Amino acid sequence: MQSSLEKFSFTYYHRVGYAETDKMNFLHHSNYARIYENARWEFFRHIEIPYSKIELSGILMPVVKMDFKFIKPAYYDDDLNIEVNILKLTNTTINFGYIMRNDNNEIINQATTTLAFINEKTGKATRTPEIIKSRFIKEFEFI
Amino acid sequence: MQSSLEKFSFTYYHRVGYAETDKMNFLHHSNYARIYENARWEFFRHIEIPYSKIELSGILMPVVKMDFKFIKPAYYDDDLNIEVNILKLTNTTINFGYIMRNDNNEIINQATTTLAFINEKTGKATRTPEIIKSRFIKEFEFI
Amino acid sequence: MQSSLEKFSFTYYHRVGYAETDKMNFLHHSNYARIYENARWEFFRHIEIPYSKIELSGILMPVVKMDFKFIKPAYYDDDLNIEVNILKLTNTTINFGYIMRNDNNEIINQATTTLAFINEKTGKATRTPEIIKSRFIKEFEFI
Amino acid sequence: MQSSLEKFSFTYYHRVGYAETDKMNFLHHSNYARIYENARWEFFRHIEIPYSKIELSGILMPVVKMDFKFIKPAYYDDDLNIEVNILKLTNTTINFGYIMRNDNNEIINQATTTLAFINEKTGKATRTPEIIKSRFIKEFEFI
């Protein structure tokens, strides 16, 4: 279903900058976490739940787990295409998946990140906010 | 055996800088990959196999896999203690494990990275160089 | 003259990412150099002199001077507007100027960077390459 | 006078990490601001005015001006030596100077940064806090 797919998936573009390269000529591996973070929040802006709005409501979303698989290098000036998906959404966490492709449409990196919800004031874990839950109520079982 | 343990494990320290913090007040998650990279090469310098020397021999060691588990946040000015271990060493890859502790000796992050060996000229995978293999010949089965 | 103005000036946009913020809630000052670098090379791509092509011709353009004036802070999610200009072009250096504005069209940062040209093989300074010089031959006195 | 000199000057060391290099093989110019920031706050920790303590008192110290002169490149694994000085201290700003040297004791970079004092709550400029002023009352005219 089109409308459902749009909710789950988003494409983000990133041009590899010179500062991101290393002496191996590669996009240095420490940059991927930042690129994927930009991709997921651009996705959330697109579905009209900007992350800044979530924080304004008193909820922070720190990363609790992340993993990366580096398949091929990316190089300076590459115009990377990142497909972001919501893989899982529970009452306490959200899990994003990323597939990065280069100019030749080759998959060069795959990654996932799990984020928790915490109350800004108490610093304690809290439940998935309604603004997110209501958006995906049909697609995920909230357990 | 003491000498063997020294080969496998090393402690690295990192002071959290202001540039590494984010508006959540945490050490931003994108910094851990860089900190662990510094930790593993400081370990290799300590065992007298500086990474710069490996590159001079024509071999590059890109990261092919990495994963992180964020247990507790780190904050500005924290003096972090990182224990680096070699978890696995084969004929084609090396796998490092990291345990990060804060000033209160609490484990706050755990991670692993797998690095491959590639020939700088051809860009193709190559076998674990002798300089590393000979150092750990007794401790690992090179399969 | 329109065509001339287009050569000298370019507008680049940058969305402030979470990783770029600090515990003060500001876009951390160490990020501006990278943002302006992206801006100037996007400008050069626009005028069909991509920096990657300059490097392929054996010339590197390291920064030799830079200065920044921070007028107002930028914040998470701000959509920044950066005007890039070529301020000066000589036989040996190129000088860029940057004016950064926030969503309210307030000038929040001003900067300049001077870049030299060096021969990749010798590592020595070299003259401004023809590809750049011919493009701006009417606008600057090459002394 | 020895005790006075110690107040004004401090030496900080930085090992160039792989993530900081670029495809030119240089320490990328965007890293210097972060390195100098670490240097000045290590200096302040040394004179027992840790920056974290200043922030706890409700005062933030954003950078308002900075400039850099790149004399020679730094490379991967270089053990850099940074001399930090307080160049000027007024009733509203503090100005630091930095001289960076490489392993061969060559001066490779020089920079200055000016920081202001702002009240965390109001976001407005405030006067140099007593904790800093009292420390340097003999050395600077507070105008």
Side-chain angles (χ1 to χ4, degrees):
Chain A
M1 195 172 54
Q2 178 64 14
S3 63
S4 175
L5 277 174
E6 276 179 4
K7 279 189 189 172
F8 284 108
S9 181
F10 178 75
T11 302
Y12 177 79
Y13 296 90
H14 178 82
R15 173 76 70 175
V16 178
Y18 207 86
E20 297 177 321
T21 62
D22 60 22
K23 73 187 284 286
M24 226 180 252
N25 277 351
F26 294 179
L27 170 60
H28 189 268
H29 65 276
S30 64
N31 292 290
Y32 289 72
R34 183 173 45 79
I35 295 168
Y36 289 142
E37 176 180 65
N38 290 342
R40 71 175 165 266
W41 298 142
E42 200 60 39
F43 175 19
F44 262 46
R45 180 178 299 108
H46 179 71
I47 59 169
E48 291 168 12
I49 313 175
Y51 178 60
S52 51
K53 201 173 161 183
I54 297 173
E55 283 214 348
L56 280 173
S57 78
I59 289 171
L60 305 175
M61 293 179 62
V63 171
V64 292
K65 277 177 77 175
M66 62 182 186
D67 62 82
F68 303 82
K69 191 177 166 193
F70 298 85
I71 299 157
K72 279 181 174 240
Y75 299 96
Y76 174 57
D77 229 22
D78 279 0
D79 193 14
L80 305 174
N81 168 320
I82 295 119
E83 186 189 322
V84 195
N85 296 280
I86 300 178
L87 301 181
K88 200 177 168 189
L89 184 55
T90 75
N91 272 319
T92 54
T93 57
I94 185 164
N95 185 246
F96 292 92
Y98 314 87
I99 299 170
M100 185 186 275
R101 288 180 178 84
N102 63 14
D103 298 332
N104 300 323
N105 209 32
E106 296 168 308
I107 294 179
I108 63 167
N109 196 270
Q110 282 186 296
T112 74
T113 51
T114 305
L115 287 77
F117 302 96
I118 67 170
N119 182 306
E120 193 184 6
K121 276 178 200 154
T122 64
K124 306 253 178 199
T126 187
R127 294 172 73 85
T128 301
E130 273 310 309
I131 191 173
I132 296 175
K133 202 168 165 175
S134 61
R135 189 81 191 210
F136 298 103
I137 197 73
K138 289 179 192 157
E139 289 84 1
F140 293 100
E141 296 177 64
F142 287 83
I143 46 172
Chain B
M1 193 171 57
Q2 177 62 12
S3 61
S4 176
L5 278 173
E6 276 179 5
K7 280 187 188 174
F8 283 107
S9 180
F10 178 75
T11 303
Y12 177 80
Y13 296 90
H14 179 82
R15 173 78 70 176
V16 178
Y18 207 86
E20 297 177 320
T21 62
D22 60 23
K23 75 188 280 287
M24 225 179 253
N25 277 351
F26 294 180
L27 169 61
H28 189 268
H29 65 274
S30 65
N31 292 291
Y32 289 73
R34 184 174 43 79
I35 296 168
Y36 290 142
E37 176 180 67
N38 290 343
R40 72 176 164 266
W41 298 142
E42 199 61 39
F43 175 20
F44 262 47
R45 180 178 300 108
H46 179 71
I47 58 169
E48 291 168 12
I49 313 176
Y51 178 61
S52 51
K53 200 173 162 183
I54 297 172
E55 283 214 347
L56 280 174
S57 78
I59 290 170
L60 304 176
M61 292 178 62
V63 171
V64 291
K65 281 177 73 175
M66 61 182 187
D67 63 81
F68 302 83
K69 193 178 166 192
F70 298 85
I71 300 158
K72 282 182 172 238
Y75 299 96
Y76 174 58
D77 228 23
D78 279 359
D79 193 16
L80 304 174
N81 168 320
I82 296 119
E83 186 188 321
V84 195
N85 295 280
I86 300 178
L87 301 181
K88 200 175 168 190
L89 184 55
T90 74
N91 271 320
T92 54
T93 57
I94 184 165
N95 186 246
F96 292 92
Y98 314 87
I99 300 170
M100 186 186 274
R101 289 180 176 86
N102 64 13
D103 297 332
N104 300 324
N105 210 32
E106 296 169 307
I107 293 177
I108 63 167
N109 195 271
Q110 283 187 294
T112 72
T113 50
T114 304
L115 288 77
F117 302 96
I118 66 169
N119 181 307
E120 193 183 8
K121 276 178 200 155
T122 64
K124 306 255 179 197
T126 188
R127 295 172 71 86
T128 301
E130 273 309 308
I131 191 173
I132 296 175
K133 202 169 167 177
S134 61
R135 189 82 189 208
F136 297 103
I137 197 72
K138 290 178 191 158
E139 289 83 2
F140 293 101
E141 296 178 64
F142 287 83
I143 44 171
Chain C
M1 194 173 53
Q2 178 63 13
S3 62
S4 176
L5 277 173
E6 276 179 3
K7 279 187 189 175
F8 284 108
S9 181
F10 179 75
T11 302
Y12 177 80
Y13 297 91
H14 179 82
R15 174 76 71 175
V16 178
Y18 207 87
E20 296 177 322
T21 62
D22 60 22
K23 75 189 281 286
M24 225 180 255
N25 277 352
F26 294 0
L27 170 60
H28 188 268
H29 65 275
S30 65
N31 292 291
Y32 289 72
R34 183 173 45 79
I35 296 168
Y36 289 141
E37 177 180 65
N38 290 343
R40 71 175 165 266
W41 298 142
E42 200 61 38
F43 175 19
F44 262 47
R45 180 178 300 108
H46 179 72
I47 58 169
E48 291 169 11
I49 313 175
Y51 178 60
S52 51
K53 200 173 162 184
I54 297 172
E55 283 214 347
L56 280 174
S57 78
I59 289 171
L60 304 176
M61 292 178 63
V63 172
V64 292
K65 279 177 75 175
M66 61 182 187
D67 61 83
F68 302 83
K69 192 177 166 192
F70 298 85
I71 299 157
K72 281 182 172 238
Y75 299 97
Y76 175 57
D77 229 23
D78 279 0
D79 193 15
L80 304 174
N81 169 319
I82 296 117
E83 185 189 322
V84 195
N85 296 280
I86 300 178
L87 301 181
K88 199 176 170 190
L89 184 55
T90 74
N91 272 320
T92 54
T93 57
I94 184 164
N95 185 246
F96 293 92
Y98 314 88
I99 299 170
M100 186 186 274
R101 290 181 176 84
N102 64 14
D103 297 333
N104 300 324
N105 210 31
E106 296 168 309
I107 293 178
I108 62 167
N109 194 270
Q110 282 187 296
T112 73
T113 50
T114 304
L115 287 78
F117 302 97
I118 66 169
N119 181 307
E120 193 184 7
K121 275 178 200 155
T122 64
K124 307 253 178 198
T126 187
R127 294 171 73 85
T128 301
E130 273 310 309
I131 191 173
I132 296 175
K133 203 169 165 175
S134 61
R135 189 81 190 209
F136 297 104
I137 198 72
K138 289 179 191 156
E139 290 84 1
F140 293 100
E141 295 178 63
F142 288 82
I143 46 171
Chain D
M1 193 170 58
Q2 178 62 12
S3 61
S4 176
L5 277 173
E6 276 178 5
K7 280 187 187 174
F8 283 107
S9 180
F10 179 75
T11 303
Y12 178 79
Y13 296 91
H14 179 82
R15 174 76 71 176
V16 178
Y18 207 86
E20 297 177 320
T21 62
D22 60 23
K23 75 188 280 289
M24 223 180 255
N25 277 350
F26 294 179
L27 169 61
H28 189 268
H29 65 275
S30 65
N31 292 290
Y32 289 73
R34 183 172 46 78
I35 296 168
Y36 289 141
E37 176 180 65
N38 290 343
R40 71 175 164 266
W41 299 142
E42 199 61 40
F43 174 20
F44 262 47
R45 179 178 300 108
H46 178 72
I47 59 169
E48 290 168 11
I49 313 176
Y51 178 61
S52 51
K53 201 173 161 183
I54 298 172
E55 284 215 348
L56 280 173
S57 78
I59 290 171
L60 304 176
M61 294 178 62
V63 171
V64 292
K65 279 177 75 175
M66 61 183 187
D67 62 82
F68 302 83
K69 192 178 167 193
F70 299 85
I71 300 158
K72 280 181 174 238
Y75 299 96
Y76 173 58
D77 228 24
D78 278 0
D79 192 14
L80 304 175
N81 169 319
I82 296 119
E83 186 188 321
V84 194
N85 295 280
I86 300 177
L87 301 180
K88 200 176 168 189
L89 184 56
T90 74
N91 272 319
T92 54
T93 57
I94 184 165
N95 185 245
F96 292 92
Y98 314 88
I99 300 170
M100 185 187 274
R101 289 181 177 85
N102 64 13
D103 297 332
N104 300 324
N105 210 33
E106 296 168 309
I107 293 178
I108 62 168
N109 195 272
Q110 282 187 295
T112 73
T113 51
T114 305
L115 288 76
F117 302 96
I118 67 170
N119 182 307
E120 192 183 8
K121 276 177 198 153
T122 64
K124 306 255 178 198
T126 187
R127 294 171 73 84
T128 300
E130 273 309 309
I131 191 174
I132 296 175
K133 203 169 165 175
S134 61
R135 188 81 190 208
F136 297 103
I137 197 72
K138 290 178 192 157
E139 290 84 1
F140 293 100
E141 295 177 65
F142 287 83
I143 45 171

